[in-house]
Amino acid sequence: MRIVNIASEFTPLCKTGGLADVVSALTRALDGRGHDVRVFLPAYSSLEALRLDRWEVDFARDVEIQLGPHTYRYSLHHARVPGTTFKVYLVHCPELFHRPGLYGNAEDEHRRFLLLTRAALDACQRMGFAPDIVHCHDWHTAFAPLLLKTVYAWDQLFAKTRSVFTIHNLGYQGVFSAAHTNDLGLGAGVSHLHQGDLHAGRINALLHGLLHADSLTTVSPTYAREICTPEHGFGLDSFLRNRGDSLVGILNGVDYAEWDPRNDPYVTDRFTPADLSGKAAAKATLLHRLRLTPTTTAPLLGVVSRLTWQKGLDLLYECLPQLLEKRDLRVVATGSGDGALEHFFGHLQERFPQKVVFHRGHSEELAHWIEAASDGFIMPSRYEPCGLNQMYSLRYGTLPIVRRTGGLADSVQHYEAATGKGTGVVFDHADGPGLRWALEHFLWLYGEQDHFRRAQQNAMAQDFSWERQAGHYEQLFSQLAVR
Ligand code: ADP
Ligand code: GLC
């Protein structure tokens, strides 16, 4: 199949979260299965530092695109993804993409990703590439299905193109003022916009992906059910229920070339399920590097996370300091985001300097070390479309401590001592007592050596490889493709 993938993130080129890992691993897996996959990404200024092998594409130099009253020019670059033979297209438009971060709050934020989407479809026309599938992700590229039905409908090149929209996170919808309606360039197709919203003065980008894509997916079966309820629907549950038949949940996979203790690219202490001595060594190395008090008896708990309300880490406010007072344990956390959460972890480090380290920011290397060295991984999310870190943790024999929601519920089973089955600690209630129970339960399990080892073995035996998950996308795409 000929597949176009339009996204705002791609590992290792541009990443703020799991979206980057998923788009990268999925497209490379589909490419590996013999499909012709063309990926389009913004040429963010941060890419300059990566010194990519990068070529200008002849047929798309300095191309004008009109977004309502705004005129932009883009050039297409072809770039090789480091460490692979896979190439992606970068949409070079410094005016929109040379900014301090991947995302921002500027008034033109919607136009940045609209330009990406338009440039991707425009480039298909220029190279005569007729996609069977256009796959788009989250609010940023959610207008692709509607643009195919309107602005590009005249072009026979797209006559057989079917669109798939994947929801990675319903919590971010890309809402902007209806004063910018003309930026979409829909002409008479403006009637396809959600009229109620328009009258209320707003346009919701993600909603239009939901309304117009031929098929909808999200990143776990449980999240697919949850978002059809008012509790998790972020105001869009009725639209999702209406499209119930076209909505499927496909669990994300793990790129085990990156995340496996046998061949971790960052962690020098390697290990296997048969011999966990390397895991003990990794713990000793990390504690030493971070200048924490060494221990072979106290557990190390890890956190690697965007610090947002979604992740539920504020539920630690009461119980974690209390546990650190009473019990011998170590905590290593990395992340950035909400000021209050950053302050909490920073303060915890000041109060327990021998036991807690907090690294504010993003460090791929530290994330790998935390996965490898920790005994438990804390992920108390209020909602979690899929979540990748709990699946990484499983591979490293690091027991995930998770709330039963979304992809966490689909990938971690609570360990039951009676049966010896299960891979982590799972709790139900997104509140302080719920998480306290889970942490105390984890500490109990850690003390029960035989059970703990068994749970680790169960965890390490799980397989969430992309090989399998990409097959589900392949099946969906081939059902949609017009032959
Ligand atoms: P989300 O996409 O909601 O942030 P996921 O669990 O799907 O959650 O993916 C998070 C990804 O981002 C993982 O690859 C994780 O290792 C990475 N990540 C999050 N915070 C950091 C950080 N501070 N440093 C390095 N990697 C991080
Ligand atoms: C989102 C979700 C996360 C998911 C990731 C990749 O950022 O929050 O749960 O794993 O996308 O699909």
Side-chain angles (χ1 to χ4, degrees):
M1 283 177 281
R2 288 181 299 271
I3 301 166
V4 163
N5 216 294
I6 319 173
S8 58
E9 300 194 19
F10 191 100
T11 299
L13 304 178
C14 40
K15 166 168 171 177
T16 68
L19 172 67
D21 293 0
V22 171
V23 174
S24 175
L26 172 61
T27 53
R28 287 181 294 122
L30 291 170
D31 173 74
R33 287 168 170 248
H35 302 290
D36 187 349
V37 189
R38 312 282 172 110
V39 176
F40 291 86
L41 308 166
Y44 298 110
S45 41
S46 54
L47 292 178
E48 310 274 322
L50 299 179
R51 302 185 172 282
L52 303 172
D53 293 337
R54 184 168 162 173
W55 309 266
E56 281 197 35
V57 176
D58 280 341
F59 58 78
R61 272 175 205 247
D62 227 10
V63 180
E64 193 173 297
I65 286 196
Q66 198 69 33
L67 300 182
H70 312 272
T71 307
Y72 296 99
R73 307 187 85 83
Y74 84 90
S75 295
L76 202 62
H77 294 181
H78 213 183
R80 200 171 54 77
V81 178
T84 74
T85 53
F86 191 70
K87 296 196 197 74
V88 293
Y89 289 107
L90 304 174
V91 175
H92 182 69
C93 177
E95 187 179 350
L96 291 176
F97 298 130
H98 284 198
R99 308 260 167 113
L102 267 46
Y103 307 123
N105 295 318
E107 179 257 2
D108 64 355
E109 186 73 354
H110 66 285
R111 280 200 294 279
R112 301 176 69 218
F113 297 101
L114 202 52
L115 181 99
L116 167 70
T117 311
R118 287 284 306 273
L121 299 175
D122 181 80
C124 287
Q125 293 176 311
R126 285 168 183 273
M127 55 184 159
F129 185 79
D132 297 301
I133 299 293
V134 167
H135 190 185
C136 49
H137 305 264
D138 278 355
W139 76 262
H140 311 92
T141 53
F143 282 118
L146 176 58
L147 291 172
L148 283 167
K149 280 188 186 169
T150 53
V151 178
Y152 295 89
W154 63 272
D155 193 343
Q156 283 308 301
L157 187 80
F158 297 117
K160 293 184 172 175
T161 302
R162 295 293 173 266
S163 57
V164 177
F165 178 54
T166 296
I167 303 163
H168 296 263
N169 196 332
L170 205 59
Y172 303 85
Q173 301 182 357
V175 177
F176 57 94
S177 162
H180 300 299
T181 306
N182 289 341
D183 294 356
L184 293 165
L186 296 173
V190 78
S191 61
H192 291 284
L193 292 178
H194 185 270
Q195 297 298 305
D197 271 2
L198 216 48
H199 289 131
R202 59 176 182 258
I203 297 176
N204 180 325
L206 185 133
L207 172 60
H208 291 89
L210 299 187
L211 293 173
H212 298 290
D214 292 307
S215 181
L216 300 179
T217 75
T218 188
V219 289
S220 69
T222 295
Y223 195 59
R225 287 192 299 277
E226 287 174 342
I227 54 180
C228 292
T229 67
E231 190 192 349
H232 291 285
F234 281 99
L236 299 181
D237 46 294
S238 63
F239 300 99
L240 286 156
R241 285 196 297 278
N242 284 341
R243 297 228 44 194
D245 293 346
S246 342
L247 170 65
V248 291
I250 302 175
L251 198 70
N252 286 334
V254 174
D255 183 353
Y256 288 125
E258 277 289 309
W259 297 97
D260 190 314
R262 294 171 189 81
N263 50 19
D264 189 289
Y266 296 96
V267 178
T268 40
D269 301 299
R270 302 267 163 88
F271 54 95
T272 64
D275 179 5
L276 289 178
S277 55
K279 187 167 175 67
K283 180 172 170 181
T285 308
L286 184 64
L287 293 177
H288 177 73
R289 279 180 66 181
L290 299 178
R291 298 199 181 84
L292 292 173
T293 307
T295 175
T296 50
T297 50
L300 169 62
L301 295 174
V303 174
V304 178
S305 186
R306 290 184 297 115
L307 300 181
T308 63
W309 177 84
Q310 171 192 348
K311 302 294 178 182
L313 290 162
D314 51 295
L315 304 176
L316 290 169
Y317 284 174
E318 254 185 52
C319 59
L320 191 55
Q322 287 172 359
L323 277 179
L324 280 158
E325 285 280 353
K326 283 194 307 200
R327 311 282 288 263
D328 193 17
L329 56 121
R330 307 285 178 276
V331 176
V332 180
T334 179
S336 61
D338 280 3
L341 279 163
E342 289 182 358
H343 181 262
F344 167 71
F345 282 111
H347 185 68
L348 211 58
Q349 168 173 278
E350 275 170 29
R351 194 168 148 199
F352 302 98
Q354 314 294 325
K355 294 182 170 181
V356 178
V357 161
F358 171 54
H359 170 78
R360 181 179 164 279
H362 191 97
S363 162
E364 205 65 30
E365 183 186 3
L366 182 57
H368 280 257
W369 274 99
I370 291 176
E371 287 295 1
S374 301
D375 300 294
F377 190 90
I378 309 177
M379 216 167 156
S381 307
R382 290 195 167 82
Y383 75 94
E384 196 60 73
C386 178
L388 296 173
N389 279 111
Q390 82 283 6
M391 297 200 273
Y392 302 157
S393 299
L394 290 169
R395 193 60 156 200
Y396 289 82
T398 300
L399 298 194
I401 302 163
V402 303
R403 196 170 89 78
R404 196 186 312 278
T405 185
L408 301 176
D410 292 341
S411 56
V412 183
Q413 289 82 45
H414 185 68
Y415 180 81
E416 296 288 352
T419 59
K421 293 209 169 98
T423 54
V425 175
V426 184
F427 67 103
D428 284 300
H429 300 290
D431 53 27
L435 181 53
R436 176 192 299 270
W437 173 85
L439 292 175
E440 282 181 348
H441 189 75
F442 172 83
L443 294 177
W444 168 81
L445 186 58
Y446 183 78
E448 301 288 317
Q449 286 267 324
D450 290 348
H451 284 300
F452 193 77
R453 296 275 168 265
R454 179 116 180 222
Q456 281 185 311
Q457 292 299 329
N458 295 347
M460 295 181 88
Q462 302 295 304
D463 180 6
F464 295 104
S465 65
W466 267 112
E467 278 319 305
R468 193 183 311 167
Q469 301 316 100
H472 294 303
Y473 281 95
E474 186 176 52
Q475 203 181 355
L476 173 73
F477 291 178
S478 57
Q479 278 163 5
L480 285 172
V482 182
R483 291 283 160 221

